[in-house]
Amino acid sequence: MDLAFSAEDLKFRDEVRDWIAKNFDAETKTMQAQSKNGYLDKETMVRWQKKLYERGWVAPDWPVEHGGPGFTPTQRYIFNMEMSAAGTPTLSPMGLKMVAPVIMKFGTDEQKAQHLPAILKSDVWWCQGYSEPGSGSDLASLQMKAERDGDHYVFNGSKIWTTHAQWADWIFCLVRTSTEKNRQDGISFVLARMDTPGITVQALPTLDGPMKHQQEVNQVFFDNVRVPVSNRIGEEGKGWTYAKYLLEFERGNAYAPGLKNALAKARRLAQYEGVADDPDLARKFAELEIQVAALDATEMRIFSSLSSGKSVGAASSMLKCAGSEAQQAISELALEAIGLYAQPFVEDTWAEIKGRSNEPRPGPEYAAPIAPSYFNYRKTSIYAGSNEVQRNIMAKMVLGL
Ligand SMILES: Cc1cc2nc3c(=O)[nH]c(=O)nc-3n(C[C@H](O)[C@H](O)[C@H](O)COP(=O)(O)OP(=O)(O)OC[C@H]3O[C@@H](n4cnc5c(N)ncnc54)[C@H](O)[C@@H]3O)c2cc1C
């Protein structure tokens, strides 16, 4: 594996840097720095995604035939690295990274024409309807019913932990279309418009405080919701196959570039607070830097062998565990570095930027999101399949135990 960048790659890197410098405006930058969960508000996220779309870069993983930029694996790596290093906004993954690859592989031509261009342009917002109360890790136990009535399915039940359902125009759902002996065989993958009568969204409060302006997860209720059968992806009863395919993309992300950025930020905090040379803290920083460097090398090895449109496979479980554990450890280190400034409860970290507060916040500006982020990042070892479950997958699929 040759890890040195060619002159052409370096030219591409400069092009990306130049674009970021021109497009990552001051207000978005400040909001991003103060975000407690990595997300922005819908309007700012969509504005950012549309800028990337105009440049042809919003879907670096998509094949060219569907509007992807045709990056080489190295260009994709450079692109992700530069975006993370600059701390640019997170893109909403539910359309671009989750449902789109499923539609590309298993959807009809009509479904591709209806959904893919709209996802690419960020004209629609998607959410993921997999988990249910009582069905998370053991997802195949899901109960939400879709009963056939002519050309429609009638949905009854509920989905939970649905990220940004309050903003979504569409939801992709796993539903039970029959009760087979083998639970997986009765599951279908169906798309539904969120404005269909009978759908209600209820916000769920999270550990990091009331999320009035940065609300993240919801419960979605379905009460006799009529969804056209033509919204089903692929065959009835084969939804489990499509769902697993999607999860490989959900989990197959490169973590290292974002981790390097987060670690550098935590180190700066320690320096501002005058504790960077504390031996205990310095040892923890060194340990994490080694972990992140090792993960970086592993990701470069894995991603450099992939061509456009391919998923990482079972190795994604390894990246998910290592990446999410490092994310949590870095948020803990930042909390330790900021010390007592982590104590005041900051309900709305954007209050000052958005002109919603007349009160000055206690402590320096950079302190506000540290404790909320620490609490919020407890999610990373749970979502996208808990880390315990990832270890089970590795034991079975990678180690063959
Ligand atoms: C912030 C956040 C956002 C989310 N967004 C979405 C979303 O948009 N859409 C969506 O569908 N879902 C979403 N989820 C749900 C997420 O996928 C589930 O929370 C996750 O799969 C775990 O399921 P559960 O919460 O039901 O926990 P459970 O499955 O009840 O697990 C409880 C505990 O038991 C452990 N455990 C369970 N089974 C095993 C096993 N076989 N071996 C060892 N340990 C086990 C788990 O690791 C965990 O520690 C989100 C979750 C969070 C926290």
Side-chain angles (χ1 to χ4, degrees), residues 94 127-132 134-139 159-164 206 216-217 250 376 379 381-389 392:
M94 277 80 73
C127 64
Q128 178 187 30
Y130 273 26
S131 309
E132 294 180 11
S135 298
S137 303
D138 183 17
L139 192 57
K159 294 288 173 185
I160 199 164
W161 310 120
T162 324
T163 302
H164 292 155
T206 42
E216 192 166 342
V217 284
E250 182 178 358
N376 185 272
K379 70 187 176 185
S381 51
I382 302 170
Y383 67 14
S386 77
N387 286 14
E388 289 79 13
V389 167
N392 288 348

Side-chain angles (χ1 to χ4, degrees), residues 49-50 52-53 56-60 79 91 96 119-122:
Q49 291 190 192
K50 281 186 175 287
L52 279 166
Y53 165 73
W57 287 346
V58 76
F79 179 78
L91 308 189
L96 287 164
I119 294 174
L120 200 65
K121 286 186 211 153
S122 295

